[in-house]
Amino acid sequence: MDWIAFASMLVAVVAVMYSVAISRSQRKQERRNLFLSLNEQLMHPDLQRGRTLLRDLINDTQDAKDLFDRRQAEYWDISQAVAMFDLLGLYVKRDYVDEDLVMAEWGKTLTLVYEKHGESFIEAREISLGWPPYPHFKTLAENARAKGKGH
């Protein structure tokens, strides 16, 4: 093989390696930016209020049913907070965000909100809808609990 062909091949290999490295770096940056955006959304006062209402008002499925009947605005605040955690769980499942980052930042909150409170809310929604809602929140919270992110 002559030197020109070898140099051309070497340049091509270096270019491909550089392209792969840049692509990986961009993917990592995109995942980090998405996590930061989700984190910012999860810290929104409306979602914080929904999580607080969930912990304060829902202890069993009957509480969720009663809340829907008597105080729908608060019920929908809770639903919005639960839906956001479900989206977070979907993003973890699809590997759009890093699960370790999510667990470090939200693991304890996920467990505290899900145990008893979220489980009861989801069960009541499932009864009313006829199908299981929020599967990703459930999986994410159970993973957090399994990783010791609870009480």
Side-chain angles (χ1 to χ4, degrees):
M1 178 175 350
D2 65 31
W3 285 104
I4 294 175
F6 178 74
S8 296
M9 193 178 323
L10 183 62
V11 167
V13 168
V14 169
V16 167
M17 291 173 58
Y18 181 74
S19 177
V20 168
I22 292 296
S23 178
R24 285 184 179 175
S25 175
Q26 286 175 335
R27 169 133 167 85
K28 187 175 181 178
Q29 182 65 39
E30 287 169 0
R31 290 177 78 211
R32 185 177 22 241
N33 288 343
L34 179 57
F35 173 76
L36 291 173
S37 174
L38 287 168
N39 192 60
E40 184 177 310
Q41 291 175 51
L42 284 161
M43 292 302 297
H44 191 277
D46 291 344
L47 293 179
Q48 288 181 0
R49 180 181 183 328
R51 291 191 298 270
T52 300
L53 289 169
L54 179 61
R55 287 191 315 270
D56 291 349
L57 301 177
I58 307 294
N59 292 301
D60 56 36
T61 55
Q62 191 59 48
D63 288 343
K65 290 176 186 177
D66 292 344
L67 189 65
F68 180 79
D69 292 337
R70 291 183 307 205
R71 297 157 64 181
Q72 283 196 5
E74 291 174 335
Y75 180 90
W76 292 118
D77 286 344
I78 292 170
S79 182
Q80 184 180 23
V82 170
M84 190 63 193
F85 273 147
D86 192 60
L87 180 65
L88 182 63
L90 174 63
Y91 280 23
V92 167
K93 177 183 176 181
R94 296 281 173 98
D95 201 32
Y96 297 159
V97 295
D98 182 76
E99 183 176 12
D100 291 337
L101 274 177
V102 170
M103 290 300 162
E105 189 66 24
W106 290 99
K108 186 170 182 82
T109 300
L110 283 161
T111 301
L112 292 172
V113 167
Y114 183 73
E115 288 179 349
K116 184 169 69 167
H117 314 289
E119 288 172 314
S120 297
F121 183 82
I122 290 170
E123 184 178 328
R125 287 285 288 158
E126 183 171 353
I127 291 167
S128 71
L129 294 170
W131 51 271
Y134 313 117
H136 308 294
F137 173 40
K138 179 179 181 179
T139 301
L140 188 63
E142 289 173 350
N143 287 347
R145 183 178 11 199
K147 292 178 184 224
K149 298 294 184 178
H151 310 282

